[in-house]
Amino acid sequence: MTTATLAGLILGLLLAQVAAVMLHGYFRRRSDLHGLDGERRTATQIDATPGPAWEGFRAFTVTRREYEDKDRSICSFYLKPLDGKPLPAFRPGQFLTFRLSLPNPVSGEARNVVRCYSLSEAPRPDHYRISIKRVEAPPQQPELPPGLSSNFFHNAVQQGSRLQVRAPAGHFHLLEEEGLPIVLIGGGIGITPMLSMLGHILEQGLKQEVWLFYGVRNGKEQIMKEFLQTLAREHANFHLHVCYSAPAMDDVELVDYQHHGRVDIPLLQTSLKSRRHQFYVCGPRPMMETLVPGLEEWGVDPADIHYEAFGPATLIRHDKPATAAVAVQPITVTFSRSGKCLAWDPAADSLLAFAEANGIEVESGCRAGSCGCCQTVVSAGEVEYTKQTDADVEPGHCLLCTAVPKNDLTLDA
Ligand SMILES: Cc1cc2nc3c(=O)[nH]c(=O)nc-3n(C[C@H](O)[C@H](O)[C@H](O)COP(=O)(O)OP(=O)(O)OC[C@H]3O[C@@H](n4cnc5c(N)ncnc54)[C@H](O)[C@@H]3O)c2cc1C
Ligand code: FES
């Protein structure tokens, strides 16, 4: 190789390197401008598979709060992580778990209260949103204290408040790989996971037909009314069906709402024509107890019916395994730390309810298999679950709130 060839080669390499650096800079700026990079991604570009979640609780601050209904009974809270780092994506439909330190309404002593709240918005890279309904004392027992966590959020959580939050979790979420049209059914505050799913579908520009059946008492309790109506006007593939069970005097049918009554199977049959849809259901117990079996009776493939209960009040009892209800052999449950050995009551809903009924103090939060709070070591014996659990259970442990004993059991409680 001559000196001239060598010099030419070196010059060529140098020029190629300069060109590569310039191209890299160009594409980086371009992706920044178009939001393709890290924190600047737009919602539609967020991969819906969960990113690296965090372990345990992470500190968040409330950046904004906003009432979402005329009655001011539902309030949204916008949360940003205190560490300022990006948030992992979540699957629309998932929830966050909160640990609050609250005074006991009776004794005044501080204690940890754990509650779950669904994410109520499509994934965003920099914040989460939850929407919480204030829970009053049951009408027939007004002497009871109102809901601890929901009232704390409504009364005390303001912009700047700090909260301890577990990473998004839950098996009830949109299955994106499915090509079937989607039916979202939300009753009352059970609308929150549907808002996240709906937002995600429309922001992604998916062409699938999507139906939202939203059951609520009347216009005063309806969440994000104008927002939902605007989405329905702007997206031809989105069909909004709002059902008022007890319309107020000023609620106008076909203006404020589409149907007088509850969301039921005849309404779904008339509106959808075909049962070949993916159904997502979340609502109060009577709704779940009629709709979920009703869909199956209509002939919907059970694999296409996805549902979530927001707590023990909405658990579907027929999930309970028949073996537990008709146990032939009496079962003994030993709570080793409390030193109690008790005959299992087959009428008890769960080991948690059974423990509490016998004066054994155990930690609990959601009481629905979601938060993991009631996880307890099983020293001997086996349990079975009365419903699908969301919390990950460590080997050798069980979730007391959703488990019943299969045979004689020893628990470290
Ligand atoms: C996966 C999941 C997602 C959820 N998502 C949402 C959501 O997006 N938005 C939302 O608003 N909620 C949601 N929830 C429900 C939420 O977690 C709480 O259950 C709800 O806010 C009520 O909690 P609380 O602490 O306010 O009420 P609690 O303190 O648990 O009280 C509940 C009720 O029991 C009554 N009570 C009090 N003491 C007694 C007693 N001694 N005997 C009998 N009754 C009594 C109270 O008056 C109240 O009516 C979700 C739950 C789960 C599991
Ligand atoms: S109390 Fe939440 S998982 Fe049992």
Side-chain angles (χ1 to χ4, degrees):
M1 192 183 292
T2 65
T3 315
T5 321
L6 187 64
L9 201 66
I10 290 171
L11 190 64
L13 278 172
L14 275 173
L15 282 173
Q17 210 170 358
V18 169
V21 167
M22 284 173 72
L23 274 173
H24 175 75
Y26 168 75
F27 280 115
R28 201 168 152 193
R29 264 198 313 281
R30 193 163 174 269
S31 65
D32 273 2
L33 285 172
H34 291 264
L36 295 172
D37 182 316
E39 280 187 74
R40 294 188 184 205
R41 287 181 304 172
T42 62
T44 53
Q45 287 147 343
I46 291 174
D47 179 3
T49 50
W54 62 92
E55 285 294 316
F57 287 91
R58 181 170 171 189
F60 277 69
T61 185
V62 176
T63 54
R64 186 174 141 203
R65 52 171 281 164
E66 207 164 84
Y67 288 108
E68 303 287 9
D69 59 340
K70 271 197 212 160
D71 256 3
R72 295 163 80 87
S73 67
I74 303 168
C75 189
S76 284
F77 297 86
Y78 292 77
L79 314 167
K80 283 193 172 187
L82 268 186
D83 58 24
K85 292 189 185 151
L87 291 173
F90 62 89
R91 289 176 184 265
Q94 290 191 308
F95 60 85
L96 297 175
T97 301
F98 293 78
R99 186 180 61 202
L100 312 165
S101 175
L102 304 183
N104 181 310
V106 183
S107 67
E109 261 176 51
R111 61 167 176 154
N112 280 341
V113 168
V114 176
R115 293 287 184 274
C116 305
Y117 291 102
S118 301
L119 290 142
S120 63
E121 200 180 24
R124 305 275 180 247
D126 64 337
H127 73 267
Y128 289 141
R129 185 183 76 186
I130 53 164
S131 305
I132 299 183
K133 168 112 181 149
R134 189 194 281 277
V135 178
E136 308 287 1
Q140 65 282 15
Q141 289 172 286
E143 71 286 1
L144 288 175
L148 281 176
S149 159
S150 57
N151 282 278
F152 171 74
F153 268 94
H154 274 252
N155 300 339
V157 175
Q158 306 294 345
Q159 190 177 334
S161 295
R162 291 184 180 190
L163 295 164
Q164 294 296 322
V165 186
R166 266 210 200 133
H171 296 122
F172 179 69
H173 57 70
L174 202 60
L175 300 172
E176 293 193 69
E177 61 276 12
E178 295 290 343
L180 288 177
I182 292 166
V183 180
L184 308 172
I185 305 173
I189 195 60
I191 189 71
T192 49
M194 309 304 163
L195 293 172
S196 178
M197 296 187 200
L198 177 69
H200 182 72
I201 294 164
L202 299 182
E203 285 175 18
Q204 290 280 354
L206 301 181
K207 293 289 166 254
Q208 259 160 313
E209 297 293 303
V210 53
W211 304 74
L212 174 63
F213 292 89
Y214 173 26
V216 69
R217 240 177 308 198
N218 53 48
K220 287 190 214 140
E221 295 182 6
Q222 187 179 346
I223 197 171
M224 301 176 199
K225 186 172 165 188
E226 283 75 31
F227 172 71
L228 287 173
Q229 288 178 341
T230 308
L231 287 183
R233 271 195 304 275
E234 288 177 354
H235 297 270
N237 62 329
F238 170 41
H239 314 284
L240 176 64
H241 287 259
V242 178
C243 303
Y244 286 180
S245 58
M249 294 289 278
D250 57 347
D251 289 330
V252 181
E253 192 162 3
L254 300 181
V255 176
D256 297 303
Y257 63 105
Q258 281 70 46
H259 310 281
H260 183 176
R262 298 181 195 282
V263 183
D264 56 17
I265 298 295
L267 173 65
L268 296 175
Q269 287 171 329
T270 322
S271 314
L272 300 173
K273 312 282 190 296
S274 146
R275 51 183 183 237
R276 290 289 292 139
H277 291 76
Q278 283 287 333
F279 291 87
Y280 295 86
V281 193
C282 182
R285 183 168 158 190
M287 180 194 226
M288 310 277 284
E289 280 185 341
T290 53
L291 279 188
V292 175
L295 287 170
E296 285 182 25
E297 274 164 35
W298 181 21
V300 178
D301 184 343
D304 293 338
I305 308 172
H306 316 278
Y307 58 91
E308 176 166 77
F310 267 3
T314 50
L315 286 184
I316 293 177
R317 285 182 178 241
H318 70 238
D319 278 0
K320 195 167 171 172
T323 48
V326 293
V328 184
Q329 293 292 324
I331 290 175
T332 302
V333 183
T334 305
F335 294 90
S336 53
R337 262 190 292 139
S338 316
K340 289 193 179 174
C341 186
L342 304 162
W344 167 247
D345 172 6
D349 268 349
S350 66
L351 281 161
L352 176 62
F354 179 67
E356 288 173 342
N358 286 287
I360 294 158
E361 272 195 30
V362 278
E363 257 200 69
S364 68
C366 67
R367 307 177 77 92
S370 306
C371 68
C373 256
C374 64
Q375 181 152 215
T376 301
V377 173
V378 179
S379 316
E382 290 167 293
V383 298
E384 57 191 333
Y385 286 98
T386 55
K387 72 181 283 268
Q388 186 189 9
T389 57
D390 278 320
D392 292 325
V393 189
E394 285 174 42
H397 292 65
C398 76
L399 298 177
L400 296 181
C401 67
T402 42
V404 292
K406 228 171 152 179
N407 41 38
D408 286 350
L409 196 66
T410 304
L411 296 168
D412 184 22

